[in-house]
Amino acid sequence: MFSELAVYESGLKHWVSIRQTGQYPSNESAGEEPIIFHQPPNCVLEWSTSIESGICMANVCEDWVPESFWRKAYNLSSGEGYRLTAWEQTDMLMEPFGITLKDLFDANMIAQYNFHGHYFSDGKDLDDILHFRCIPADEYWGGGVVDEMRRMAANPMIRAMFPTAEQMKEHNIEIGHKEGGTYWALENNKEDWIKAFFGSREKRDAIKSWDEGYELFHPSEEVTYLDHGYDEEKGLENLDIEDLKKAAAFRGGECLEEKAPADIYTPPIKWKCADGHEFMMSVNAVLQGGHWCPECLAHECSMEISQK
Ligand SMILES: [Zn+2]
């Protein structure tokens, strides 16, 4: 977030931030990190394929990209067909081996909150400009990825070498004991982490096991928009000071200016967050980028994938 903010506030005229939650296939080493315990079973990722992400990046460099494209952040995905919950994805990929998410994890050891996955209501905006989507989801998953798993499962040599569900679960538990894993947090009384993962120890203790009826579902895809406190139809360039004050109030803070700036990009203007921190930030960074108080952000939990 700080890196993106630095670009927002750079004064450069030609930059873009392309955000994606999950690119498939992922870096293989990610499966060996505690992040495998961080995605709640019913939490979704709207995946982008590595091929389409690559086309997107290549097209950014083309001359036909319109001037209006720049100085914004966009969500990147391969489309609505790529919306999968954690359990749907695991069950789909492992189906040829007869393995499901339930075989690989205990329900009460998977985080319930604070993963970054969700659907994008505006994923199409980026494709409308850069035209990178080219693989229908059912062909990609069913025809490509799952088909390969089926061929592997049908090969007796691979089948013999492939770990059993029990072995995979045991290995996952080892990973969960690494720093940042749920086992690590519970066994080492990392209360901040426990709160972030489960809400509280009590809530964690109340999680039903799979057999007791832990509910797996696919969250509704019906789009509902938040009211951000101001008229978003106006366009950022046309907001007046009342709009900015209402936008800040929506975030529990204030806009401390007397009038709206002439330029939404620079210079930054003064805001105050709910905790009373005053900070300078451009209208574009706050309202297009969704950035807010840097001091509060510094206290949020962030974790690097460890290289150990
Ligand atoms: Zn703050």
Side-chain angles (χ1 to χ4, degrees):
M1 291 299 279
F2 284 112
S3 312
E4 189 189 80
L5 181 60
V7 182
Y8 261 95
E9 304 298 59
S10 66
L12 293 170
K13 296 233 161 63
H14 295 93
W15 60 266
V16 64
S17 174
I18 295 186
R19 302 168 172 174
Q20 61 178 18
T21 51
Q23 179 176 289
Y24 198 90
S26 304
N27 184 335
E28 279 174 28
S29 63
E32 295 293 316
E33 297 295 338
I35 194 170
I36 62 172
F37 286 90
H38 295 176
Q39 187 182 6
N42 297 314
C43 173
V44 297
L45 284 178
E46 187 168 312
W47 291 89
S48 66
T49 68
S50 57
I51 300 166
E52 290 161 303
S53 298
I55 297 171
C56 172
M57 292 303 154
N59 286 354
V60 168
C61 308
E62 295 291 342
D63 292 339
W64 45 255
V65 174
E67 197 60 25
S68 58
F69 171 71
W70 305 106
R71 296 197 281 185
K72 294 188 180 96
Y74 297 87
N75 292 315
L76 167 61
S77 89
S78 286
E80 293 174 12
Y82 286 84
R83 294 173 171 177
L84 292 171
T85 61
W87 71 269
E88 286 172 318
Q89 190 186 27
T90 304
D91 289 8
M92 176 182 74
L93 295 176
M94 301 306 290
E95 183 267 331
F97 290 92
I99 295 172
T100 69
L101 183 87
K102 293 181 181 180
D103 299 320
L104 303 179
F105 297 93
D106 284 327
N108 65 0
M109 293 310 293
I110 309 178
Q112 298 296 299
Y113 304 105
N114 286 312
F115 195 65
H116 55 263
H118 47 76
Y119 302 140
F120 297 136
S121 63
D122 62 353
K124 201 171 160 294
D125 295 354
L126 185 62
D127 185 55
D128 284 343
I129 303 169
L130 295 179
H131 312 293
F132 54 88
R133 289 179 179 173
C134 56
I135 315 173
D138 52 347
E139 277 178 34
Y140 184 80
W141 296 119
V145 178
V146 179
D147 210 40
E148 193 178 322
M149 295 298 279
R150 279 202 196 99
R151 283 201 297 277
M152 282 167 62
N155 181 326
M157 288 250 301
I158 293 177
R159 188 100 206 185
M161 289 188 311
F162 205 79
T164 63
E166 292 72 24
Q167 288 167 331
M168 290 172 84
K169 183 173 177 181
E170 217 170 285
H171 183 57
N172 285 345
I173 292 171
E174 281 171 25
I175 296 169
H177 280 89
K178 289 190 193 178
E179 182 175 351
T182 49
Y183 289 82
W184 166 85
L186 287 161
E187 289 171 15
N188 293 288
N189 302 315
K190 302 288 182 186
E191 301 305 325
D192 285 356
W193 289 75
I194 292 165
K195 191 174 169 210
F197 288 147
F198 302 109
S200 66
R201 275 187 187 271
E202 293 67 40
K203 281 190 178 171
R204 188 259 162 187
D205 292 341
I207 295 172
K208 287 180 180 167
S209 69
W210 305 125
D211 289 342
E212 286 163 352
Y214 186 108
E215 194 193 352
L216 295 176
F217 58 88
H218 182 92
S220 166
E221 297 193 18
E222 192 187 332
V223 178
T224 49
Y225 290 102
L226 291 174
D227 178 353
H228 291 103
Y230 66 101
D231 182 1
E232 294 181 66
E233 295 296 314
K234 274 183 169 179
L236 293 189
E237 316 269 356
N238 306 317
L239 298 182
D240 57 33
I241 188 63
E242 286 312 309
D243 291 312
L244 297 180
K245 285 184 186 297
K246 284 189 278 184
F250 168 77
R251 291 151 182 254
E254 293 173 50
C255 176
L256 300 177
E257 300 290 333
E258 306 267 292
K259 59 183 177 48
D263 187 337
I264 62 167
Y265 302 104
T266 187
I269 63 169
K270 201 174 212 183
W271 309 84
K272 187 160 116 182
C273 81
D275 286 342
H277 309 128
E278 292 185 10
F279 59 98
M280 306 294 290
M281 202 172 274
S282 69
V283 172
N284 192 43
V286 172
L287 296 184
Q288 202 284 322
H291 291 274
W292 194 236
C293 176
E295 201 168 331
C296 289
L297 185 65
H299 298 300
E300 286 191 5
C301 168
S302 62
M303 197 194 76
E304 290 174 25
I305 301 265
S306 92
Q307 298 298 318
K308 282 173 233 158

PDB file of all heavy atoms in Angstrom, residues 272-279 292-297 299, ligand 1:
ATOM      1  N   LYS A 272      -7.906  14.395   8.167  1.00  0.00           N
ATOM      2  CA  LYS A 272      -7.724  13.892   9.539  1.00  0.00           C
ATOM      3  C   LYS A 272      -8.474  12.577   9.671  1.00  0.00           C
ATOM      4  O   LYS A 272      -9.638  12.482   9.257  1.00  0.00           O
ATOM      5  CB  LYS A 272      -8.277  14.916  10.535  1.00  0.00           C
ATOM      6  CG  LYS A 272      -7.990  14.584  11.984  1.00  0.00           C
ATOM      7  CD  LYS A 272      -8.113  15.840  12.843  1.00  0.00           C
ATOM      8  CE  LYS A 272      -9.234  15.733  13.833  1.00  0.00           C
ATOM      9  NZ  LYS A 272      -9.382  16.960  14.638  1.00  0.00           N
ATOM     10  N   CYS A 273      -7.818  11.562  10.227  1.00  0.00           N
ATOM     11  CA  CYS A 273      -8.473  10.252  10.356  1.00  0.00           C
ATOM     12  C   CYS A 273      -9.256  10.174  11.662  1.00  0.00           C
ATOM     13  O   CYS A 273      -9.211  11.086  12.494  1.00  0.00           O
ATOM     14  CB  CYS A 273      -7.434   9.133  10.288  1.00  0.00           C
ATOM     15  SG  CYS A 273      -6.579   8.871  11.853  1.00  0.00           S
ATOM     16  N   ALA A 274      -9.963   9.081  11.855  1.00  0.00           N
ATOM     17  CA  ALA A 274     -10.805   8.899  13.045  1.00  0.00           C
ATOM     18  C   ALA A 274      -9.991   8.913  14.333  1.00  0.00           C
ATOM     19  O   ALA A 274     -10.504   9.243  15.400  1.00  0.00           O
ATOM     20  CB  ALA A 274     -11.580   7.585  12.924  1.00  0.00           C
ATOM     21  N   ASP A 275      -8.708   8.570  14.240  1.00  0.00           N
ATOM     22  CA  ASP A 275      -7.845   8.577  15.424  1.00  0.00           C
ATOM     23  C   ASP A 275      -7.146   9.914  15.634  1.00  0.00           C
ATOM     24  O   ASP A 275      -6.273  10.038  16.496  1.00  0.00           O
ATOM     25  CB  ASP A 275      -6.796   7.464  15.319  1.00  0.00           C
ATOM     26  CG  ASP A 275      -7.428   6.096  15.567  1.00  0.00           C
ATOM     27  OD1 ASP A 275      -8.543   6.058  16.132  1.00  0.00           O
ATOM     28  OD2 ASP A 275      -6.814   5.082  15.196  1.00  0.00           O
ATOM     29  N   GLY A 276      -7.523  10.907  14.817  1.00  0.00           N
ATOM     30  CA  GLY A 276      -6.979  12.246  15.025  1.00  0.00           C
ATOM     31  C   GLY A 276      -5.652  12.535  14.339  1.00  0.00           C
ATOM     32  O   GLY A 276      -5.083  13.609  14.536  1.00  0.00           O
ATOM     33  N   HIS A 277      -5.142  11.593  13.553  1.00  0.00           N
ATOM     34  CA  HIS A 277      -3.896  11.865  12.823  1.00  0.00           C
ATOM     35  C   HIS A 277      -4.194  12.772  11.642  1.00  0.00           C
ATOM     36  O   HIS A 277      -5.116  12.500  10.879  1.00  0.00           O
ATOM     37  CB  HIS A 277      -3.270  10.567  12.285  1.00  0.00           C
ATOM     38  CG  HIS A 277      -3.108   9.492  13.297  1.00  0.00           C
ATOM     39  ND1 HIS A 277      -3.565   8.200  13.119  1.00  0.00           N
ATOM     40  CD2 HIS A 277      -2.534   9.520  14.526  1.00  0.00           C
ATOM     41  CE1 HIS A 277      -3.276   7.475  14.181  1.00  0.00           C
ATOM     42  NE2 HIS A 277      -2.657   8.251  15.053  1.00  0.00           N
ATOM     43  N   GLU A 278      -3.387  13.832  11.501  1.00  0.00           N
ATOM     44  CA  GLU A 278      -3.539  14.685  10.324  1.00  0.00           C
ATOM     45  C   GLU A 278      -2.514  14.270   9.284  1.00  0.00           C
ATOM     46  O   GLU A 278      -1.371  13.943   9.622  1.00  0.00           O
ATOM     47  CB  GLU A 278      -3.351  16.154  10.711  1.00  0.00           C
ATOM     48  CG  GLU A 278      -4.492  16.628  11.608  1.00  0.00           C
ATOM     49  CD  GLU A 278      -4.422  18.111  11.925  1.00  0.00           C
ATOM     50  OE1 GLU A 278      -3.606  18.824  11.298  1.00  0.00           O
ATOM     51  OE2 GLU A 278      -5.183  18.538  12.812  1.00  0.00           O
ATOM     52  N   PHE A 279      -2.920  14.273   8.037  1.00  0.00           N
ATOM     53  CA  PHE A 279      -1.998  13.845   6.976  1.00  0.00           C
ATOM     54  C   PHE A 279      -2.363  14.522   5.658  1.00  0.00           C
ATOM     55  O   PHE A 279      -3.481  15.002   5.486  1.00  0.00           O
ATOM     56  CB  PHE A 279      -2.006  12.312   6.822  1.00  0.00           C
ATOM     57  CG  PHE A 279      -3.356  11.724   6.485  1.00  0.00           C
ATOM     58  CD1 PHE A 279      -3.691  11.417   5.176  1.00  0.00           C
ATOM     59  CD2 PHE A 279      -4.294  11.488   7.480  1.00  0.00           C
ATOM     60  CE1 PHE A 279      -4.935  10.882   4.858  1.00  0.00           C
ATOM     61  CE2 PHE A 279      -5.540  10.951   7.181  1.00  0.00           C
ATOM     62  CZ  PHE A 279      -5.862  10.645   5.864  1.00  0.00           C
ATOM     63  N   TRP A 292      -5.723   5.948   2.754  1.00  0.00           N
ATOM     64  CA  TRP A 292      -6.136   6.761   3.901  1.00  0.00           C
ATOM     65  C   TRP A 292      -4.970   6.872   4.856  1.00  0.00           C
ATOM     66  O   TRP A 292      -3.828   6.593   4.446  1.00  0.00           O
ATOM     67  CB  TRP A 292      -7.405   6.147   4.527  1.00  0.00           C
ATOM     68  CG  TRP A 292      -8.156   7.002   5.508  1.00  0.00           C
ATOM     69  CD1 TRP A 292      -8.464   6.672   6.794  1.00  0.00           C
ATOM     70  CD2 TRP A 292      -8.705   8.306   5.285  1.00  0.00           C
ATOM     71  NE1 TRP A 292      -9.168   7.679   7.378  1.00  0.00           N
ATOM     72  CE2 TRP A 292      -9.328   8.699   6.485  1.00  0.00           C
ATOM     73  CE3 TRP A 292      -8.720   9.186   4.212  1.00  0.00           C
ATOM     74  CZ2 TRP A 292      -9.968   9.942   6.641  1.00  0.00           C
ATOM     75  CZ3 TRP A 292      -9.352  10.418   4.355  1.00  0.00           C
ATOM     76  CH2 TRP A 292      -9.967  10.777   5.547  1.00  0.00           C
ATOM     77  N   CYS A 293      -5.236   7.220   6.083  1.00  0.00           N
ATOM     78  CA  CYS A 293      -4.198   7.605   7.042  1.00  0.00           C
ATOM     79  C   CYS A 293      -2.955   6.676   7.052  1.00  0.00           C
ATOM     80  O   CYS A 293      -3.043   5.513   7.441  1.00  0.00           O
ATOM     81  CB  CYS A 293      -4.798   7.638   8.441  1.00  0.00           C
ATOM     82  SG  CYS A 293      -3.573   7.995   9.713  1.00  0.00           S
ATOM     83  N   PRO A 294      -1.790   7.202   6.677  1.00  0.00           N
ATOM     84  CA  PRO A 294      -0.577   6.379   6.653  1.00  0.00           C
ATOM     85  C   PRO A 294      -0.144   5.917   8.047  1.00  0.00           C
ATOM     86  O   PRO A 294       0.436   4.842   8.194  1.00  0.00           O
ATOM     87  CB  PRO A 294       0.492   7.316   6.073  1.00  0.00           C
ATOM     88  CG  PRO A 294      -0.244   8.443   5.452  1.00  0.00           C
ATOM     89  CD  PRO A 294      -1.539   8.567   6.190  1.00  0.00           C
ATOM     90  N   GLU A 295      -0.461   6.724   9.049  1.00  0.00           N
ATOM     91  CA  GLU A 295      -0.041   6.346  10.399  1.00  0.00           C
ATOM     92  C   GLU A 295      -0.835   5.127  10.890  1.00  0.00           C
ATOM     93  O   GLU A 295      -0.289   4.226  11.512  1.00  0.00           O
ATOM     94  CB  GLU A 295      -0.219   7.531  11.350  1.00  0.00           C
ATOM     95  CG  GLU A 295       0.631   7.388  12.591  1.00  0.00           C
ATOM     96  CD  GLU A 295       0.689   8.685  13.383  1.00  0.00           C
ATOM     97  OE1 GLU A 295       0.577   9.778  12.762  1.00  0.00           O
ATOM     98  OE2 GLU A 295       0.827   8.605  14.609  1.00  0.00           O
ATOM     99  N   CYS A 296      -2.135   5.117  10.595  1.00  0.00           N
ATOM    100  CA  CYS A 296      -2.955   3.954  10.976  1.00  0.00           C
ATOM    101  C   CYS A 296      -2.547   2.724  10.173  1.00  0.00           C
ATOM    102  O   CYS A 296      -2.500   1.617  10.706  1.00  0.00           O
ATOM    103  CB  CYS A 296      -4.433   4.229  10.741  1.00  0.00           C
ATOM    104  SG  CYS A 296      -5.133   5.420  11.898  1.00  0.00           S
ATOM    105  N   LEU A 297      -2.244   2.927   8.915  1.00  0.00           N
ATOM    106  CA  LEU A 297      -1.873   1.800   8.059  1.00  0.00           C
ATOM    107  C   LEU A 297      -0.625   1.108   8.600  1.00  0.00           C
ATOM    108  O   LEU A 297      -0.498  -0.106   8.533  1.00  0.00           O
ATOM    109  CB  LEU A 297      -1.630   2.288   6.628  1.00  0.00           C
ATOM    110  CG  LEU A 297      -1.358   1.200   5.589  1.00  0.00           C
ATOM    111  CD1 LEU A 297      -2.574   0.304   5.411  1.00  0.00           C
ATOM    112  CD2 LEU A 297      -0.958   1.814   4.265  1.00  0.00           C
ATOM    113  N   HIS A 299       0.110   0.434  11.458  1.00  0.00           N
ATOM    114  CA  HIS A 299      -0.167  -0.490  12.558  1.00  0.00           C
ATOM    115  C   HIS A 299      -0.912  -1.736  12.113  1.00  0.00           C
ATOM    116  O   HIS A 299      -1.147  -2.630  12.896  1.00  0.00           O
ATOM    117  CB  HIS A 299      -0.986   0.222  13.647  1.00  0.00           C
ATOM    118  CG  HIS A 299      -0.253   1.362  14.255  1.00  0.00           C
ATOM    119  ND1 HIS A 299       0.952   1.197  14.896  1.00  0.00           N
ATOM    120  CD2 HIS A 299      -0.523   2.683  14.283  1.00  0.00           C
ATOM    121  CE1 HIS A 299       1.387   2.380  15.319  1.00  0.00           C
ATOM    122  NE2 HIS A 299       0.516   3.295  14.945  1.00  0.00           N
TER     123      HIS A 299
HETATM  124 ZN    ZN B   1      -4.709   7.552  11.563  1.00  0.00          ZN
END
